[in-house]
Amino acid sequence: MTDAKRLARAYLLRVAEPPAPALHRFVAEHGPIEAARRVREAAVPEAVAAETAARRGLDRAERDLDSAAEHGARLVIPEDAEWPAWPLLSLEVANGRGVTGMAPPLGLWVRGPISLDDALDPAVAIVGARAATDYGEHTAAEFAYELTQSGMTVVSGAAYGIDGAAHRGTLAAEGVTVAVLGCGLDVGYPAGHVGLLNRVARRGAVVSEYPPGTQPARHRFLVRNRLIAALSAGTVVVEAGRRSGARNTAATAGTLGKVVMAVPGPVGSALSVGCHRLIRDSQATLVTSVADVVESVGKVGSGLTEPGDGPRRHTDGLEPEALRVFEALPARGGRSAEEVAVESGVELSRVRALLPALEFDGLVQRCDIGWRRRSERAGSARG
């Protein structure tokens, strides 16, 4: 029965773009096997249909499981003994309170020999800027090294900068580290960290809720951040700009009731502005040593709000579905509305309504073979 449930969950992970709260509730009510059957037959409530209609015909469960196995990965599901139920309970609670975007994963693709549940007991996340300074990378590596010696697992996102330094610091101490990706485990992203990810997988785990072959996209990394926050007892921010994914992770950690900590930096450094604001606004505890981190973990974190200041991107203000449609478009070439629906997970009729609206806003343009993104420069010129 577990194999049947694994196949069902592999199918559901493919047909719905995370976090898919309506589908999560549907699976909790009916079980994965029955839920998968009803999704295939489109015999689902309207909210579930909205999350699955674009991809419900993509039944690649066996292929995804085989592809994962070829890359040394497996699908861990809630029915497995190694499922990290306790850390993910924070997502269940937040989702039950109606917090947007906090639905737990339906399953997790994992590469690495260690039991996922064991790897995360206990765990601390270290996150920060991609374009980090030498100070930031040194601090992240030192914190990770010493946390490992304190018996903790270090969780991060495998990005350049602070994330990579945290993973390397843990590996230098011969400890366990967990990398959470915003794409399929087999995609090899970021390209410069493929070797690092292989080393992480040998001692710890590389994790994603996205099935094999899923390409990286901005919205997927933001969705991924909730897992980094949830799987850890606390999150340490080492360098963060005024607008950054690290602050997004910190905000999520606070929302989930986890401890949020920030490392101060030079007062004139733009890459420490985010940390200083978290500390100033009492949204994070100031930490300057691993002893501070160890002391802080276990305390109740304060709720955070996501920052809304700083320079605006040309996609700021887009609704979630519109952003997913935009992210599904190539910068060159073109895609049909049907292809965009499959890639984004947004229902075809909705895609056809959103594309002209995005064109009117100067974000996308029609071409001979469908639709593509309009460059940010061109969009600005249009405005």
Side-chain angles (χ1 to χ4, degrees):
M1 183 60 72
T2 301
D3 288 342
K5 290 179 179 178
R6 200 176 313 279
L7 278 168
R9 287 186 180 274
Y11 165 74
L12 295 170
L13 282 167
R14 169 69 68 178
V15 301
E17 186 76 19
L23 179 60
H24 176 269
R25 289 191 295 271
F26 193 68
V27 172
E29 180 180 357
H30 298 284
I33 297 174
E34 178 64 13
R37 183 188 69 79
R38 295 192 185 192
V39 168
R40 287 188 184 96
E41 298 173 358
V44 295
E46 184 177 344
V48 178
E51 294 174 354
T52 59
R55 299 180 187 161
R56 67 183 180 85
L58 295 179
D59 196 346
R60 301 179 185 173
E62 290 189 10
R63 190 189 314 176
D64 286 342
L65 289 169
D66 289 343
S67 176
E70 289 174 4
H71 290 86
R74 64 193 183 279
L75 177 59
V76 178
I77 60 176
E79 291 79 10
D80 290 331
E82 68 171 300
W83 181 255
W86 177 251
L88 292 175
L89 180 62
S90 59
L91 288 175
E92 294 275 6
V93 172
N95 190 52
R97 297 202 317 264
V99 181
T100 302
M102 291 296 120
L106 294 169
L108 292 170
W109 300 93
V110 179
R111 183 161 71 99
I114 194 167
S115 166
L116 189 57
D117 190 34
D118 290 343
L120 297 167
D121 185 22
V124 172
I126 297 179
V127 298
R130 285 175 170 80
T133 66
D134 290 343
Y135 160 79
E137 292 198 12
H138 175 78
T139 300
E142 284 292 312
F143 269 51
Y145 188 96
E146 293 181 25
L147 282 168
T148 296
Q149 293 186 320
S150 298
M152 292 190 177
T153 292
V154 172
V155 178
S156 198
Y160 296 125
I162 298 302
D163 290 16
H167 291 306
R168 286 190 290 270
T170 305
L171 293 170
E174 299 184 350
V176 174
T177 183
V178 174
V180 187
L181 307 185
C183 59
L185 299 183
D186 59 335
V187 171
Y189 182 88
H193 277 177
V194 170
L196 176 62
L197 288 170
N198 289 336
R199 292 170 58 204
V200 169
R202 284 196 290 270
R203 292 199 58 87
V206 182
V207 177
S208 176
E209 64 185 318
Y210 295 101
T214 303
Q215 296 299 307
R218 182 180 300 161
H219 71 272
R220 288 178 179 142
F221 290 105
L222 293 175
V223 169
R224 176 277 310 267
N225 288 348
R226 86 191 194 288
L227 293 182
I228 294 177
L231 293 174
S232 311
T235 295
V236 181
V237 184
V238 182
E239 289 197 324
R242 191 177 297 272
R243 289 178 57 93
S244 71
R247 287 193 66 182
N248 172 267
T249 305
T252 302
T255 298
L256 297 177
K258 304 298 181 84
V259 181
V260 182
M261 297 156 278
V263 179
V267 294
S269 172
L271 287 176
S272 289
V273 169
C275 293
H276 295 161
R277 293 198 64 171
L278 287 170
I279 295 167
R280 185 194 69 185
D281 296 341
S282 300
Q283 296 175 340
T285 299
L286 185 152
V287 292
T288 59
S289 67
V290 166
D292 291 342
V293 175
V294 173
E295 181 183 359
S296 298
V297 169
K299 296 179 180 179
V300 178
S302 57
L304 303 183
T305 57
E306 188 172 349
D309 50 2
R312 291 182 58 82
R313 299 187 183 97
H314 64 306
T315 54
D316 280 0
L318 289 182
E319 296 295 326
E321 284 189 338
L323 180 60
R324 282 162 57 182
V325 168
F326 176 83
E327 293 278 2
L329 292 171
R332 297 182 180 180
R335 278 182 177 164
S336 66
E338 290 79 7
E339 291 172 327
V340 173
V342 170
E343 174 62 23
S344 66
V346 177
E347 192 172 5
L348 179 58
S349 61
R350 183 66 176 147
V351 169
R352 286 175 171 158
L354 287 168
L355 285 170
L358 290 170
E359 182 183 33
F360 181 80
D361 289 337
L363 297 175
V364 308
Q365 63 185 107
R366 299 175 193 260
C367 59
D368 293 340
I369 55 175
W371 296 83
R372 63 174 172 238
R373 298 184 193 183
R374 183 186 293 270
S375 69
E376 186 168 358
R377 180 179 299 175
S380 298
R382 181 185 183 277

